[in-house]
Amino acid sequence: MLARIEKLEARAQTAEDHRDLLNLQAAYGYYVDKGLWDKAADLFAKDGTLEIAGRGVFVGQDRVRAYLHCLPGYGRGVLFNHMQLQPVLHIDSMAGTAKGRWRTLMMVGSLGKEGRWGEATYENAYLREDGRWRIASLHGIVNFYAEY
């Protein structure tokens, strides 16, 4: 009976971790879509890394934050939609680590100036830091980026 309870508790923890990781990645997407760079950077682990489209590897929250602040500003007439789809998560709840793959469909534009479609694959790692899931590494591979 005790073994069964322990097994159920482990499954429940994995289910909670799965939900928390989905929410973490969704929060990242929302913050990027709205130009909330500081909130996006806060989702990374202290030594977390960000690498998108071969623009370099930014290590640590401060460097991730600095990179994000170099992106175009968000405001009236600006569109940064990054829909994150098809999550595949591999979670080790006991170790507090996980890996995830996501596909993202991007619509980026500025009213009267430009419009682009894009698609990328995220290969991410996560870790539980101070009791909360954080992005340990976000690696975005852009598969295409084209003018609308």
Side-chain angles (χ1 to χ4, degrees), residues 10 33 35 69 73 76 121 138:
D33 288 352
H69 275 280
R76 181 171 163 27
T121 303
L138 184 143

Side-chain angles (χ1 to χ4, degrees), residues 13-14 16-18 20-21 24 45 91-98 125-136:
Q13 182 63 57
T14 299
E16 288 178 9
D17 290 340
H18 188 270
D20 292 346
L21 289 162
L24 172 64
I91 303 165
D92 185 339
S93 291
M94 292 293 291
T97 60
Y126 306 92
L127 65 88
R128 195 179 294 117
E129 187 175 75
D130 299 326
R132 295 187 66 190
W133 284 103
R134 296 284 183 223
I135 300 169

Side-chain angles (χ1 to χ4, degrees), residues 22 25-26 29 81-89 100-107 117-124 126:
L22 291 176
Q25 191 67 34
N81 280 346
H82 292 74
M83 294 163 282
Q84 297 169 90
L85 311 165
Q86 299 176 318
V88 176
L89 294 170
R101 173 181 278 190
W102 306 78
R103 302 287 300 270
T104 183
L105 178 62
M106 299 173 275
M107 294 180 288
W117 286 99
E119 191 274 335
T121 303
Y122 284 135
E123 293 280 352
N124 297 350
Y126 306 92

Side-chain angles (χ1 to χ4, degrees), residues 8-129:
L8 288 170
E9 285 176 343
R11 287 183 65 197
Q13 182 63 57
T14 299
E16 288 178 9
D17 290 340
H18 188 270
R19 178 206 58 213
D20 292 346
L21 289 162
L22 291 176
N23 288 336
L24 172 64
Q25 191 67 34
Y28 170 81
Y30 177 80
Y31 294 152
V32 168
D33 288 352
K34 301 303 178 203
L36 300 170
W37 310 130
D38 291 324
K39 289 183 181 256
D42 289 343
L43 299 175
F44 283 77
K46 292 175 188 127
D47 294 327
T49 64
L50 178 140
E51 179 182 9
I52 298 176
R55 295 182 190 131
V57 180
F58 300 87
V59 180
Q61 277 187 349
D62 291 340
R63 294 297 299 140
V64 168
R65 188 179 321 280
Y67 167 78
L68 292 172
H69 275 280
C70 289
L71 297 175
Y74 180 79
R76 181 171 163 27
V78 173
L79 179 68
F80 287 146
N81 280 346
H82 292 74
M83 294 163 282
Q84 297 169 90
L85 311 165
Q86 299 176 318
V88 176
L89 294 170
H90 300 278
I91 303 165
D92 185 339
S93 291
M94 292 293 291
T97 60
K99 291 191 181 281
R101 173 181 278 190
W102 306 78
R103 302 287 300 270
T104 183
L105 178 62
M106 299 173 275
M107 294 180 288
V108 177
S110 183
L111 186 62
K113 295 180 184 173
E114 67 178 347
R116 295 184 182 161
W117 286 99
E119 191 274 335
T121 303
Y122 284 135
E123 293 280 352
N124 297 350
Y126 306 92
L127 65 88
R128 195 179 294 117
E129 187 175 75

